[in-house]
Amino acid sequence: MTFLRIALKLAWRDLRGGVAGLWIVVLGVALGTAMMAAVGSLGAGVLDGMRATAREAVGGDLSLRLFHAPATPEQMAFLETLGTVGETAELRPVAATVAGSARTLVELKAVDGSYPLVGAAAVSGVPSLADALARRDGLRGAAVSADLLGALGLGVGDRLRLGAAEVAIRAVLEHEPDRAFRAFSLGPRVVIDRRALDETGLAEPGAPIYWYYRLLLPETVRSDAVLRELERRFPDAGWRIVDASHGIPGVDRTVQLARALFLLGALSILLIGGVGVSRALSAHLARRLPVLATLKALGGSPRLLFTAFLMQTLAVAGVALLIGAVAGACLAAAAARALPLGWLPDT
């Protein structure tokens, strides 16, 4: 303990004489650490935020998708034993004015009365989406995105032709919870009741329709057990399955890849800075040679001097790491405020 105390005193007294030669060490280590801390903290926050909202983006605990054909009565009966089930159909037909003077490709969604199972759909013009889609005056309603009104020159209250049926535009669609992470759209959005889809004649057998079945499971039921049972009962069903507990497909992988790339860049900065750190330490020791010679002449052993300057180097590196960690946390917080990431959890 006496040996370490003496080494610590020598290191401290030498540092009090100035660290002009070690500022590159502090800068290099702090910069690399700040980059890694900022990227790691922000990336983890983004992933946690997305996973927290995954149930809303997926539409439930599980999403099962079929193409061309809806679920069979046997499949629906089994799904209903698992929890709350919502059925949605999505297709891309051509919508037109009643007179046929204008038409455009739209993204049509037909929903049942349980939609949305998670989150809330926002519309303007009526109190709720259910009011917009209800049948009144012999016509079923529709909620449409604002760009459709501009494309066809229509307004709320006008009629829209979809296939063989007409629907009344009763609301402007503001938000769909299960499309929060879909950045690409082929046309204006139109939402109608599931029963209205049958009236349009667009849901013929073999039509290119995506059928989604979203499930809300009881808290005591594990999604992986449900998936194993689905595979066992319907091995040839052709489900495309999304499990909300695993995050949002595509988006989760993209964020993880971006995080890994940024971390690699931060590590590269730290490694490149290591070259400067090494040279700065060598130059610092070269400048301290007269001090080392004096201490050795006064009886200092090589082991004692080595320990003293090792402690000095570790102390400077520790301070640099602390500075870098604090700076990285501040950078991550600033980035979270600057970027459109309002769904991130508070940290």
Side-chain angles (χ1 to χ4, degrees):
M1 293 299 295
T2 302
F3 174 83
L4 291 177
R5 253 196 325 268
I6 295 173
L8 185 59
K9 284 182 179 180
L10 288 175
W12 173 245
R13 287 177 179 178
D14 191 65
L15 281 175
R16 286 172 61 187
V19 292
L22 296 177
W23 67 269
I24 294 180
V25 177
V26 175
L27 180 62
V29 175
L31 180 60
T33 304
M35 290 292 295
M36 294 188 70
V39 172
S41 178
L42 184 61
V46 170
L47 287 173
D48 290 344
M50 286 193 308
R51 287 166 182 167
T53 58
R55 290 178 77 244
E56 182 173 320
V58 172
D61 294 305
L62 290 175
S63 174
L64 312 175
R65 190 185 79 183
L66 293 172
F67 189 49
H68 288 303
T72 64
E74 181 185 4
Q75 291 170 340
M76 280 298 298
F78 176 69
L79 293 179
E80 288 170 352
T81 65
L82 300 175
T84 306
V85 184
E87 182 185 53
T88 302
E90 296 191 13
L91 59 156
R92 298 183 178 95
V94 173
T97 60
V98 174
S101 56
R103 58 183 60 212
T104 186
L105 182 72
V106 298
E107 290 199 346
L108 177 65
K109 176 188 287 185
V111 301
D112 62 10
S114 65
Y115 178 85
L117 292 178
V118 182
V123 294
S124 59
V126 292
S128 67
L129 181 64
D131 292 325
L133 306 188
R135 179 189 286 274
R136 290 200 300 269
D137 301 327
L139 281 178
R140 295 195 181 273
V144 304
S145 58
D147 52 348
L148 177 69
L149 302 180
L152 298 182
L154 299 175
V156 175
D158 292 334
R159 296 185 180 186
L160 182 70
R161 176 168 292 280
L162 294 168
E166 294 180 10
V167 294
I169 300 175
R170 296 208 179 100
V172 176
L173 189 62
E174 303 290 349
H175 174 67
E176 298 169 77
D178 54 347
R179 288 186 62 86
F181 289 94
R182 295 192 193 181
F184 182 69
S185 180
L186 290 177
R189 302 287 299 162
V190 179
V191 178
I192 60 174
D193 188 270
R194 169 67 182 85
R195 291 163 293 186
L197 179 63
D198 296 329
E199 298 172 6
T200 65
L202 298 172
E204 296 294 329
I209 302 175
Y210 290 103
W211 299 90
Y212 291 89
Y213 298 89
R214 276 66 181 252
L215 279 81
L216 279 184
L217 303 175
E219 293 184 1
T220 56
V221 177
R222 292 178 56 87
S223 59
D224 53 355
V226 171
L227 295 180
R228 285 195 299 268
E229 186 63 17
L230 278 172
E231 291 294 333
R232 187 186 69 81
R233 285 177 175 260
F234 309 106
D236 301 321
W239 309 105
R240 181 187 179 276
I241 301 172
V242 177
D243 188 346
S245 64
H246 297 161
I248 305 166
V251 177
D252 197 86
R253 289 192 297 270
T254 300
V255 172
Q256 288 187 357
L257 177 60
R259 182 188 182 191
L261 291 175
F262 279 114
L263 282 175
L264 182 61
L267 183 60
S268 300
I269 292 174
L270 188 59
L271 291 176
I272 293 171
V275 178
V277 169
S278 175
R279 292 184 177 181
L281 286 174
S282 298
H284 174 70
L285 289 176
R287 282 192 296 269
R288 310 309 288 173
L289 282 178
V291 176
L292 292 172
T294 302
L295 291 174
K296 188 173 182 182
L298 293 174
S301 66
R303 180 166 168 258
L304 177 64
L305 299 179
F306 173 79
T307 304
F309 278 85
L310 177 62
M311 287 182 171
Q312 184 182 96
T313 303
L314 291 177
V316 171
V319 171
L321 288 172
L322 180 60
I323 293 172
V326 173
C330 293
L331 283 173
R337 287 193 298 269
L339 296 175
L341 304 175
W343 40 267
L344 282 178
D346 294 334
T347 55

